Amino acid sequence: MNRRSRPAFSAFRLLRRLSASVPAAVFALFAAFAPAPLAAQDLDAFEEKVTEFTLDNGLHFIIIERDVAPVASFLTYVKVGGVDEPVGNTGIAHIFEHMAFKGTDVIGTTDWQAEREAIDRMDRAYNAWFAASVDPAADSAAVRALRETFEQAQEEAGAFVVNNEFSQIVDRSGGVGMNAFTSSDETAYFYSLPQNKAELWFNLESARFRTPVFREFYIEKDVVMEERRMRTDSNPVGRLVERFLKEAYTVHPYGNPVVGWAEDIQSTTIEDARAFYSTYYVPSNMTIAIAGDVDPDEMRRLAELYFGDMPAGEPVPEPGKPEPPQSEERRFIMSEPSQPIWLAGYHTVSSTHPDYPALTLLGDIISSGRTSRLYRELVEETRMALAVQALNGFPGTRYPSMFLTLAVPNQGVDVLEIEQAIDRQIEEVKQGAITREELERAITNRRANIVRGLNSNSGLALNAATAHALEGDWRTLFTQLEDFSNVTLDDLMRVAETYLRVENRTVGIIENAAQSAASP
């Protein structure tokens, strides 16, 4: 990577983090899963190592035997993300993710009964202060007094907290990689343990999701608010992406930021979080995947023991209204103290739509790697851009999503020149410029990605759970290869013509504030 490329690639990494609060490694696994399965004969061999069952309450388990080392990775996948959040509570999925690491009614507290009463007092005090703080007629001195009452209640609740006890138990037991992520489509919690600590995981995991404690709730809200300030409010690319999604989606909740709008984060209460948990953290909306050196019969026994009496809950509601078709191009320009950036997105389809494989391969062919069309023209040959990328499935894939193109122009290059060059490439694709060799290379690269994604216990667990939850069957990790292998050159032309239309896109541009001010 040359020196001038670094800022651009950093922008791409940030773009992906902004679409979902996902660590880079996890995003890579998800990207690897999306379109690239293995051959049918590989499925037959792999299936012999997989045991799956569903408890009476609807909680589904996928057990993958992999005895290369005496360890196992455990993952709890919940099909809930930013797209599911109630109006006025954006960011709540991410906030609840933080709550899941705060312990249980016996872990992380010196006296749960007293702490629970203190938490209730704290929540009432917060509600009273917040209601007064947004009331224009409220007396400022009274508002300050209510704030002080809340802070005192928060301090009293905090006196019962044993910090980090949950994670310390895992660490002392040999656990590694404890983390979680929330995206537009999903939330997942994961870590690895020695095989003989499997029952500890069942004990801890069932406890934290059966009876969440909402410990240090408002402290964690402040942490989430700081994440928003760092990734969005203080970052030009973050502001660009947030504005872009808001412009691109007029109705569907994919237009909301996963981290949440600032006013929603501030107004969300423990009562809101409890309602969110009760609605979405139900067994039928959860999938647990375990990969490693484990005994499937023992895992089933422990599943029944620790999760069997978890209440089934009600069916999970579908989010929002579908996004109406876009009939004309939407554009906006932001003046920022930043290098210029050009971002465009075309409305496309969800991952279950027959056109999804062709659109995904089209993104790879256009911009993935040094042999891609846009990279060769814009980065290597003309040096118009520091970097350029196209990808399908932003900001999620559960519902009709977007085909995204992003470019960072080189110094002295106007962003509109970049746009014209990208538009020319898209028109060439519509006219049949893509070759059979390019298509076959894209399919081969996708196959390699999925192999890398299945090389570890954690990758197996994440990909299997994701496939089951979003596609209905973990086997789609393998069987989708046929869908991608069946994509033809005519399909690539057709999806480009169908979806990559000017009237179907939203364009967002960052122009450098200093350069803009200096222009006549």
Side-chain angles (χ1 to χ4, degrees):
M1 184 185 300
N2 64 52
R3 194 173 193 82
R4 291 188 301 175
S5 299
R6 288 178 182 170
F9 283 101
S10 295
F12 292 134
R13 286 195 295 269
L14 176 61
L15 176 63
R16 289 176 166 180
R17 286 201 301 271
L18 289 162
S19 70
S21 301
V22 185
V26 175
F27 188 98
L29 286 174
F30 178 71
F33 149 70
L38 300 179
Q41 60 266 31
D42 296 321
L43 171 59
D44 293 338
F46 190 81
E47 196 165 13
E48 295 179 1
K49 298 294 185 180
V50 178
T51 301
E52 59 181 331
F53 54 88
T54 304
L55 303 183
D56 290 343
N57 58 16
L59 181 55
H60 193 75
F61 282 79
I62 303 172
I63 314 300
I64 306 168
E65 296 179 75
R66 191 169 183 264
D67 58 0
V68 296
V71 296
S73 292
F74 301 83
L75 180 136
T76 299
Y77 182 103
V78 190
K79 195 167 74 171
V80 63
V83 73
D84 302 288
E85 294 168 336
V87 175
N89 285 141
T90 59
I92 198 169
H94 186 201
I95 293 170
F96 186 84
E97 174 208 313
H98 282 232
M99 289 295 95
F101 292 89
K102 289 299 178 178
T104 71
D105 55 358
V106 295
I107 297 172
T109 185
T110 58
D111 184 339
W112 169 240
Q113 183 59 41
E115 184 188 7
R116 181 170 58 182
E117 294 172 359
I119 288 174
D120 289 341
R121 289 194 298 272
M122 175 186 68
D123 198 35
R124 289 193 297 269
Y126 183 88
N127 288 334
W129 165 75
F130 183 75
S133 71
V134 296
D135 181 358
D139 178 73
S140 59
V143 173
R144 285 196 300 272
L146 289 170
R147 178 71 189 185
E148 291 171 1
T149 300
F150 159 66
E151 291 173 349
Q152 177 63 33
Q154 183 169 244
E155 185 176 338
E156 291 171 358
F160 299 100
V161 175
V162 180
N163 288 317
N164 302 318
E165 187 174 19
F166 187 92
S167 60
Q168 288 171 2
I169 291 172
V170 174
D171 291 344
R172 289 196 299 269
S173 300
V176 296
M178 175 180 281
N179 213 329
F181 68 83
T182 302
S183 75
S184 293
D185 287 340
E186 62 210 337
T187 305
Y189 307 83
F190 47 91
Y191 58 94
S192 299
L193 281 167
Q195 64 173 172
N196 61 355
K197 297 295 183 180
E199 185 163 7
L200 172 68
W201 179 87
F202 277 92
N203 190 326
L204 295 175
E205 200 75 352
S206 62
R208 69 168 168 167
F209 290 121
R210 285 169 61 92
T211 54
V213 293
F214 302 99
R215 182 172 290 133
E216 297 184 314
F217 181 82
Y218 293 104
I219 292 175
E220 289 304 316
K221 275 215 316 175
D222 289 342
V223 173
V224 171
M225 187 69 83
E226 181 57 32
E227 289 184 33
R228 179 186 165 79
R229 282 191 287 266
M230 179 181 67
R231 295 184 178 181
T232 304
D233 299 339
S234 301
N235 193 295
V237 180
R239 292 194 292 275
L240 173 67
V241 173
E242 184 171 271
R243 171 82 179 274
F244 170 82
L245 289 175
K246 185 178 180 181
E247 296 283 348
Y249 288 95
T250 60
V251 174
H252 194 269
Y254 268 163
N256 293 324
V258 174
V259 74
W261 299 108
E263 58 271 25
D264 288 350
I265 297 171
Q266 186 178 43
S267 65
T268 293
T269 66
I270 292 176
E271 182 180 356
D272 296 327
R274 284 197 179 109
F276 180 81
Y277 158 78
S278 298
T279 301
Y280 294 101
Y281 277 72
V282 295
S284 61
N285 204 42
M286 302 170 69
T287 302
I288 289 177
I290 302 171
D293 189 10
V294 294
D295 177 0
D297 292 335
E298 177 65 4
M299 296 303 98
R300 184 191 292 262
R301 183 188 72 82
L302 293 172
E304 292 282 3
L305 176 64
Y306 286 96
F307 287 98
D309 60 350
M310 188 175 180
E314 299 294 326
V316 172
E318 283 293 316
K321 298 179 180 179
E323 183 68 18
Q326 185 171 325
S327 59
E328 60 181 6
E329 184 185 50
R330 302 166 188 159
R331 300 180 73 92
F332 66 91
I333 297 175
M334 299 168 57
S335 182
E336 298 278 355
S338 163
Q339 64 188 82
I341 297 175
W342 181 86
L343 173 65
Y346 301 83
H347 288 283
T348 58
V349 298
S350 71
S351 62
T352 57
H353 192 281
D355 286 344
Y356 185 84
L359 284 162
T360 302
L361 290 176
L362 180 59
D364 291 350
I365 292 166
I366 289 177
S367 75
S368 181
R370 293 178 178 274
T371 60
S372 66
R373 290 175 163 267
L374 289 176
Y375 187 92
R376 287 201 314 268
E377 177 184 348
L378 298 180
V379 179
E380 289 191 337
E381 295 173 4
T382 67
R383 297 187 179 274
M384 292 173 63
L386 295 173
V388 61
Q389 185 165 347
L391 57 94
N392 187 46
F394 182 90
T397 62
R398 276 171 59 189
Y399 302 97
S401 190
M402 303 200 83
F403 183 99
L404 203 70
T405 51
L406 184 148
V408 180
N410 213 332
Q411 185 174 4
V413 177
D414 190 285
V415 291
L416 295 182
E417 294 181 60
I418 296 287
E419 179 178 308
Q420 291 166 4
I422 292 175
D423 285 349
R424 283 196 301 271
Q425 283 287 355
I426 290 174
E427 288 305 312
E428 289 180 9
V429 168
K430 293 178 181 179
Q431 299 304 315
I434 293 177
T435 66
R436 166 58 59 179
E437 180 185 4
E438 288 176 298
L439 175 57
E440 291 178 351
R441 183 166 58 240
I443 294 172
T444 299
N445 289 339
R446 282 289 169 169
R447 179 193 294 269
N449 284 342
I450 190 60
V451 170
R452 285 192 291 269
L454 300 177
N455 274 343
S456 66
N457 290 338
S458 58
L460 283 169
L462 174 62
N463 287 299
T466 304
H468 170 79
L470 300 187
E471 308 292 334
D473 193 338
W474 64 265
R475 293 168 184 82
T476 58
L477 285 170
F478 296 83
T479 57
Q480 281 185 22
L481 180 57
E482 184 176 351
D483 296 333
F484 285 84
S485 297
N486 287 338
V487 171
T488 67
L489 295 175
D490 286 341
D491 289 330
L492 296 177
M493 293 170 58
R494 177 180 55 79
V495 297
E497 184 67 38
T498 300
Y499 301 103
L500 306 190
R501 296 175 287 106
V502 170
E503 65 270 22
N504 186 43
R505 77 177 177 185
T506 300
V507 177
I509 296 172
I510 288 181
E511 61 178 15
N512 182 270
Q515 294 177 357
S516 177
S519 300

